Amino acid sequence: MEISFLMLLVLSLLLFPNGICKGLAARPPVVNIGSILQFNSTTGGVAAVAIHAALEDINSDPTVLNGTTLKVQIKDTNCFDGFLGMVQALQFMETDVVALIGPQCSTISHIISYVANELRVPLMSFASDATLSSIQFPFFVRTGPNDLYQMAAVAEVVDYNHWKIVTAIYIDNVYGRNGIAALDDALALKRCKISYKVGFPSNAKRSELINLLVSVSYMESRVIILHTGAEPGLKLFSMVKQLNMMGNGYVWIATDWLSAYLDANSSVPAETISGLQGVLTLRPHIPNSKMKSNLVSKWNKQSKKSNYSDLRVNTYGFYVYDSVWAVARALDAFFDDGGRISFSNDSMLHDETGGTLHLEAMSISDMGNKLLEKIRKVNFTGVSGQVQFDAGGNLIHPAYDIINIIGNGMRTIGFWSNYSGLLSTVSPEALYSKPPNISLADQHLYDVIWPGETAQRPRGWVFPSNAKQLKIGVPNRFSFKEFVTKDNSTGSMKGYCIDVFTQALALLPYPVSYKFVPFGNGTENPNYDKLVQMIESNEFDAAIGDIAITMRRTVTLDFTQPFIETGLVILAPVKQHITSSWAFLQPFTLQMWCVTGSYFLIVGVVVWVLEHRINDDFRGSVRQQIITIFWFSFSTLFFAHRENTMSSSGRGVLIIWLFVVLIIVSSYTASLTSILTVQQLDTSIKGIDDLKSSNDPIGFQVGSFAQDYMVKELNISRSRLRALSSPQEYAEALKLGPKEGGVMAIVDERPYVELFLSTYCKIAVAGTDFTSRGWGFAFPRDSPLQVDLSTAILSLSENGELQRIHSKWLNTGECTTDNSEFVDSNQLRLESFLGLFLICGVACVLALLLYFGIMLCKYLRHEPRKSLRRFISFVHGKEPPKNMERRSMSLPGSSTPTTPMGSLSSLDMERPARPVRNGSVIDMES
């Protein structure tokens, strides 16, 4: 057995000489890591216990480090005294350690990061400061949450509850300032903002904190974000309740310092919990697992060993525990690759004469770069979840629990995950196997009990008690004063828009102090673009009136819900049909009547010509034949003609004519019905395309956005536009027309147009609205008053008050006009039926040509003597029956030539034949 083992060993050495030697030679018996913590803090105590728990598990696990013992040297520092903490940290760096765990505070992390870079020692920090970056500090490895993600979660909570402004209170150090800067950026992405922020030092006195809270209570926002440490934060909360700032209407959101404190402390004083009722806080999300449960179960035993028996594990304990494991796994991989631990002195590091820092004692880690590479490549499942770093040096899949403090405990109301960027009641790890859902409609949190023990979501802002009056700009109009104008007798503003604003304001659950400031001199309509620009420049706090909501204005301002729908329309002069005693003549133009009547006679004559030789219904005296022609022609109008047509040509002409008559009668009936039942309007302008294609002047109202819209959107030359200031000018310009110094049309908003048309009836809207807009009240961006007024306007619409105000000011009646006017623009014109008449005319001509061609052939064949008179007599004569013709032409032994067809005199043709019955003659005329 021993011989076999020796042979195997020799073979291995021959085949893999380098690998085996490195694996055996590179593993030292002991490896030292360091840690910089503040022992007298909650986070520092939890981190110390977690480090010792991790070392115990690592050193007892034979699969890790393979016999090498991992030891830790922990240095106590003062996070609140930046200078002292920095000196203590620098002194600690004199020891040769391969990696550092901590520090927990951002101030010292910044200093140590510079040192770690110089000494090439990986810094496994759980400091959350967002400005700590692996780009600036390559040896900085963040093994805990990043404030960038925490502030994104806070901003999502703010946006989810429809709050637009917040107040930020922070501890005035690197951690606090950088955290609030990250919050400001996150809120800006949600179109929210910090309206007031105030910092305080860690050693602030009670009186200073009270003054701070009093200044916050004077602010507009009631959503307060508290980003600080546990000790100053709890001190501040103890005063909040005393100042009655934990009642209805307030919202307090504490960052993860509060959940870390409550999770770690087993016995929190009752008065502390009482002052936190309704507060929201965040906690880095740690998924449930067996490893997590095992650590929790043995925590009490480990905490007693470390003299922290009153501390429980919190999220930072899980992150620190996994940080130590990450170093151990990286070292194991480093040793597997034949890595050796060694340090060398840096000649650039030395003390001045008499210095006590011993900078020359600091050594550079020769294998620091390789170990850092192994650390960044670790990928394992720890107690905090998946331990893996992204390209930016942060842990993958950051997520937070959203917690509501209720009673004696904390209740998780939802989660935020950077994977989706949204709030959800589904745990983040359940989302990782699915495509990210970024639909805002799917956001959901469980109900919250807010401060004041209410489940109703706070509005998030109030008018502060020391607030100044709102300066509200109101257009002082010259025309259409029904909408808004200044009452010269009282100096107050009145009109439809004023009533809508005051009624909406009355629905708000809080008083608003304001004053109206007229904008404009009242002699002409003001420029509305300048009015809204004065809100941007803070000359006005808001503007109300007939202000159109345009895309360009919404870029810099917020508008309320539209209180009236509007859009640009075209006004053009029209005439109207007036029914009269002769209304039945209106469907056709005079030309149409004449042509239609002529065709009745023409068709009658053509059918008579085609039928009278062979059809007794079309024969008789001259008087009878003229009557027949007229009767037959006009009886076809009602399809009541009695005469039968016998010739094929006559039937063809009649069929075509009856089709023409059907179309004409149907069109006449429809047009007459429309004239008698509907008032007809007409204008030569059918829509916006007619305006664009023309070169005639176009009118617009002074101060309206219609001018810029036509120039910029429709590319209409500004030189074609004419400014009009009153309804009277509208009517006069349209009446004159473009050829006499007026305009072809006017482009204006529908509410003005409807009011105008209630007085001027010879003008109408041409086409349809070519924009869809509305009027709203303008406020600065993110104004909370805009949101509440929008809700109030919707309430006015639902309860009918908005319609009542509309009826009061804009009750447009029907106007009257002179009944002597007519228009023929909608009459049926000849052009519409020209094709039918042409077809019928061609059919008549062809039938006549064919008929006379046949007659000419017969005449030439049977008539020996040719003359025009005899041809006319031949055509006019009655054609005998064909059987009689054949008999007369074929009598045997007859020496007298037979009379050819058509050679009888006209008198003979007129005399009817007398047939013989039983040898007697029957007179057909008797």
Side-chain angles (χ1 to χ4, degrees):
M1 186 67 179
E2 293 179 356
I3 296 175
S4 300
F5 176 75
L6 290 174
M7 291 179 64
L8 182 62
L9 180 60
V10 172
L11 184 61
S12 299
L13 290 172
L14 292 174
L15 294 176
F16 311 104
N18 296 330
I20 296 294
C21 291
K22 287 183 179 180
L24 294 175
R27 291 184 181 271
V30 176
V31 175
N32 291 316
I33 63 173
S35 181
I36 301 175
L37 304 172
Q38 182 174 347
F39 290 163
N40 62 350
S41 68
T42 298
T43 302
V46 170
V49 177
I51 291 173
H52 287 104
L55 289 176
E56 185 176 300
D57 292 341
I58 291 169
N59 291 329
S60 62
D61 190 342
T63 63
V64 182
L65 292 179
N66 194 17
T68 298
T69 301
L70 192 63
K71 291 186 177 181
V72 64
Q73 300 179 37
I74 302 179
K75 178 67 175 179
D76 184 18
T77 59
N78 189 336
C79 282
F80 296 109
D81 190 333
F83 176 75
L84 181 59
M86 178 186 66
V87 173
Q88 292 169 341
L90 290 175
Q91 289 175 340
F92 180 71
M93 295 303 291
E94 296 174 6
T95 61
D96 292 337
V97 292
V98 298
L100 276 176
I101 308 297
Q104 68 193 64
C105 49
S106 299
T107 304
I108 299 179
S109 293
H110 277 272
I111 302 299
I112 296 301
S113 293
Y114 286 104
V115 180
N117 280 354
E118 182 67 25
L119 302 182
R120 302 173 194 168
V121 177
L123 184 63
M124 312 294 286
S125 177
F126 48 94
S128 60
D129 184 0
T131 61
L132 286 167
S133 168
S134 60
I135 298 176
Q136 182 182 8
F137 306 114
F139 281 83
F140 174 82
V141 180
R142 193 189 303 276
T143 59
N146 188 332
D147 274 346
L148 279 178
Y149 301 116
Q150 178 174 211
M151 296 310 174
V154 172
E156 198 66 50
V157 172
V158 171
D159 184 57
Y160 173 79
N161 289 282
H162 308 294
W163 301 318
K164 290 300 182 183
I165 57 174
V166 301
T167 296
I169 303 176
Y170 59 95
I171 189 167
D172 195 7
N173 58 19
V174 173
Y175 160 76
R177 288 191 297 271
N178 291 339
I180 294 304
L183 175 63
D184 211 355
D185 292 340
L187 288 172
L189 294 176
K190 302 294 181 181
R191 291 190 60 183
C192 306
K193 67 178 182 179
I194 300 176
S195 61
Y196 180 66
K197 52 187 172 183
V198 56
F200 64 94
S202 59
N203 59 351
K205 299 178 181 179
R206 178 181 176 85
S207 59
E208 294 174 341
L209 295 179
I210 290 177
N211 291 335
L212 180 149
L213 291 174
V214 170
S215 68
V216 168
S217 68
Y218 287 153
M219 294 300 110
E220 185 178 21
S221 173
R222 284 294 183 262
V223 180
I224 304 169
I225 315 295
L226 185 56
H227 184 57
T228 177
E231 183 179 344
L234 293 174
K235 185 178 180 180
L236 198 69
F237 268 128
S238 67
M239 303 174 191
V240 167
K241 189 173 182 181
Q242 298 174 12
L243 295 175
N244 295 322
M245 296 177 65
M246 196 59 80
N248 287 337
Y250 278 94
V251 177
W252 286 88
I253 302 177
T255 50
D256 61 352
W257 65 265
L258 181 56
S259 64
Y261 172 82
L262 295 177
D263 285 337
N265 289 272
S266 56
S267 58
V268 180
E271 60 271 17
T272 300
I273 289 292
S274 176
L276 298 174
Q277 297 300 301
V279 173
L280 294 182
T281 185
L282 283 77
R283 176 201 290 143
H285 178 71
I286 306 295
N288 293 323
S289 65
K290 187 176 181 180
M291 295 179 62
K292 175 182 175 182
S293 301
N294 292 338
L295 179 59
V296 172
S297 63
K298 65 181 181 181
W299 183 267
N300 288 337
K301 180 180 177 181
Q302 189 64 50
S303 62
K304 290 178 181 179
K305 289 182 182 181
S306 305
N307 297 321
Y308 290 103
S309 57
D310 57 337
L311 290 181
R312 298 175 300 186
V313 64
N314 62 13
T315 53
Y316 286 95
F318 295 126
Y319 286 122
V320 172
Y321 181 89
D322 283 342
S323 299
V324 180
W325 268 97
V327 173
R329 290 179 181 274
L331 282 169
D332 195 43
F334 172 73
F335 291 147
D336 284 343
D337 287 348
R340 295 173 180 268
I341 295 177
S342 63
F343 296 89
S344 59
N345 293 328
D346 189 346
S347 58
M348 299 179 61
L349 293 175
H350 64 276
D351 286 343
E352 296 295 335
T353 305
T356 59
L357 286 178
H358 304 293
L359 297 178
E360 68 278 0
M362 297 183 183
S363 302
I364 296 176
S365 175
D366 297 328
M367 77 306 183
N369 288 320
K370 292 184 178 179
L371 181 59
L372 176 64
E373 181 183 354
K374 298 299 182 183
I375 289 174
R376 293 198 179 278
K377 289 182 178 180
V378 296
N379 184 358
F380 65 97
T381 301
V383 294
S384 63
Q386 188 68 21
V387 180
Q388 184 181 354
F389 299 100
D390 60 19
N394 297 303
L395 290 172
I396 64 171
H397 298 323
Y400 284 86
D401 301 342
I402 313 298
I403 297 171
N404 185 203
I405 300 177
I406 306 171
N408 294 324
M410 297 183 289
R411 173 173 171 259
T412 300
I413 61 171
F415 307 93
W416 177 89
S417 170
N418 187 57
Y419 181 72
S420 65
L422 302 178
L423 300 171
S424 174
T425 55
V426 179
S427 61
E429 56 268 18
L431 303 176
Y432 298 150
S433 60
K434 306 174 183 177
N437 182 7
I438 58 175
S439 174
L440 295 177
D442 294 333
Q443 287 202 120
H444 179 64
L445 291 177
Y446 292 120
D447 293 336
V448 179
I449 302 300
W450 303 100
E453 299 182 356
T454 177
Q456 183 177 1
R457 175 188 298 164
R459 186 172 61 250
W461 73 280
V462 295
F463 270 98
S465 56
N466 62 342
K468 63 178 182 179
Q469 274 190 329
L470 293 179
K471 289 176 60 179
I472 300 179
V474 183
N476 186 15
R477 295 189 58 85
F478 170 71
S479 62
F480 299 108
K481 295 185 176 182
E482 293 85 350
F483 293 105
V484 60
T485 189
K486 181 180 180 181
D487 190 337
N488 294 325
S489 60
T490 62
S492 61
M493 305 301 295
K494 65 178 183 178
Y496 168 74
C497 299
I498 299 297
D499 279 8
V500 172
F501 176 75
T502 54
Q503 289 296 321
L505 214 58
L507 296 179
L508 301 184
Y510 49 86
V512 178
S513 178
Y514 66 91
K515 64 176 180 180
F516 290 139
V517 180
F519 177 73
N521 53 23
T523 59
E524 64 176 3
N525 294 333
N527 188 306
Y528 283 68
D529 286 334
K530 292 182 179 179
L531 174 60
V532 297
Q533 287 172 5
M534 294 181 72
I535 304 176
E536 300 176 41
S537 60
N538 295 322
E539 295 180 60
F540 287 143
D541 298 310
I544 70 168
D546 47 341
I547 304 172
I549 303 174
T550 65
M551 182 182 67
R552 188 164 58 87
R553 292 172 182 173
T554 56
V555 173
T556 55
L557 299 176
D558 280 346
F559 284 85
T560 62
Q561 173 78 16
F563 55 86
I564 188 172
E565 295 299 327
T566 181
L568 290 179
V569 295
I570 301 172
L571 273 176
V574 298
K575 295 181 180 180
Q576 57 184 351
H577 286 290
I578 304 297
T579 57
S580 67
S581 302
W582 299 94
F584 66 91
L585 295 175
Q586 294 182 20
F588 288 166
T589 61
L590 179 61
Q591 188 181 23
M592 180 67 181
W593 279 117
C594 293
V595 172
T596 303
S598 300
Y599 258 84
F600 273 105
L601 295 177
I602 291 171
V603 171
V605 171
V606 170
V607 172
W608 175 82
V609 170
L610 298 175
E611 293 288 329
H612 83 284
R613 293 192 77 248
I614 61 175
N615 193 337
D616 291 337
D617 291 339
F618 290 88
R619 300 196 64 81
S621 64
V622 174
R623 176 174 173 274
Q624 288 175 335
Q625 292 186 54
I626 293 175
I627 293 174
T628 299
I629 290 174
F630 276 91
W631 165 255
F632 177 80
S633 298
F634 289 99
S635 63
T636 58
L637 180 64
F638 310 102
F639 305 96
H641 50 285
R642 296 178 303 173
E643 294 78 10
N644 293 323
T645 53
M646 299 177 63
S647 66
S648 299
S649 299
R651 290 174 179 174
V653 170
L654 185 61
I655 288 174
I656 294 175
W657 173 243
L658 290 177
F659 176 73
V660 173
V661 169
L662 176 64
I663 299 299
I664 292 175
V665 170
S666 300
S667 302
Y668 175 87
T669 304
S671 180
L672 181 61
T673 302
S674 177
I675 290 173
L676 296 177
T677 57
V678 181
Q679 180 178 344
Q680 300 291 318
L681 298 176
D682 176 71
T683 174
S684 58
I685 300 172
K686 302 302 180 184
I688 192 64
D689 291 336
D690 292 338
L691 295 185
K692 294 168 67 175
S693 60
S694 173
N695 292 319
D696 292 331
I698 303 170
F700 68 93
Q701 185 181 171
V702 173
S704 172
F705 77 96
Q707 179 184 17
D708 286 342
Y709 181 86
M710 286 188 285
V711 172
K712 296 178 180 179
E713 301 296 333
L714 303 181
N715 296 321
I716 295 176
S717 173
R718 194 178 293 273
S719 61
R720 292 180 55 197
L721 305 183
R722 302 288 185 269
L724 305 173
S725 60
S726 67
Q728 293 76 15
E729 290 189 15
Y730 280 25
E732 184 65 24
L734 290 173
K735 181 179 180 181
L736 291 174
K739 296 182 179 179
E740 299 183 15
V743 296
M744 67 178 298
I746 296 173
V747 175
D748 205 351
E749 296 177 79
R750 181 167 286 279
Y752 303 124
V753 169
E754 290 177 350
L755 198 61
F756 174 80
L757 293 179
S758 66
T759 305
Y760 298 90
C761 299
K762 299 178 183 179
I763 302 168
V765 174
T768 59
D769 299 20
F770 54 91
T771 63
S772 179
R773 303 179 186 273
W775 288 350
F777 304 140
F779 290 88
R781 294 298 297 268
D782 305 319
S783 170
L785 187 58
Q786 170 260 335
V787 178
D788 289 351
L789 272 179
S790 293
T791 305
I793 290 172
L794 288 175
S795 299
L796 291 177
S797 177
E798 291 174 358
N799 62 24
E801 185 65 18
L802 202 60
Q803 182 59 43
R804 188 195 65 80
I805 299 173
H806 186 280
S807 301
K808 172 185 175 182
W809 289 99
L810 310 177
N811 190 15
T812 56
E814 294 185 1
C815 57
T816 57
T817 56
D818 185 4
N819 289 346
S820 61
E821 288 193 37
F822 288 90
V823 294
D824 60 355
S825 58
N826 286 332
Q827 289 180 315
L828 299 175
R829 302 176 181 274
L830 177 62
E831 291 81 359
S832 302
F833 302 92
L834 196 58
L836 288 174
F837 286 130
L838 181 62
I839 292 172
C840 186
V842 170
C844 291
V845 171
L846 291 177
L848 289 176
L849 291 176
L850 180 63
Y851 174 77
F852 283 111
I854 293 173
M855 290 297 101
L856 182 60
C857 291
K858 289 183 178 181
Y859 173 75
L860 294 176
R861 187 171 63 248
H862 299 290
E863 183 60 48
R865 290 176 295 173
K866 280 75 175 177
S867 69
L868 179 62
R869 181 177 179 183
R870 293 185 65 83
F871 176 72
I872 294 174
S873 177
F874 175 80
V875 171
H876 182 67
K878 179 176 175 59
E879 183 174 331
K882 292 184 179 181
N883 56 353
M884 292 179 62
E885 179 183 356
R886 285 194 296 268
R887 264 198 316 271
S888 62
M889 294 181 63
S890 59
L891 289 176
S894 176
S895 59
T896 304
T898 59
T899 304
M901 182 181 66
S903 62
L904 300 176
S905 66
S906 60
L907 183 60
D908 295 333
M909 295 294 292
E910 289 295 336
R911 184 182 299 114
R914 292 182 292 175
V916 178
R917 181 183 297 173
N918 298 327
S920 63
V921 177
I922 301 175
D923 189 358
M924 296 294 293
E925 295 181 357
S926 61

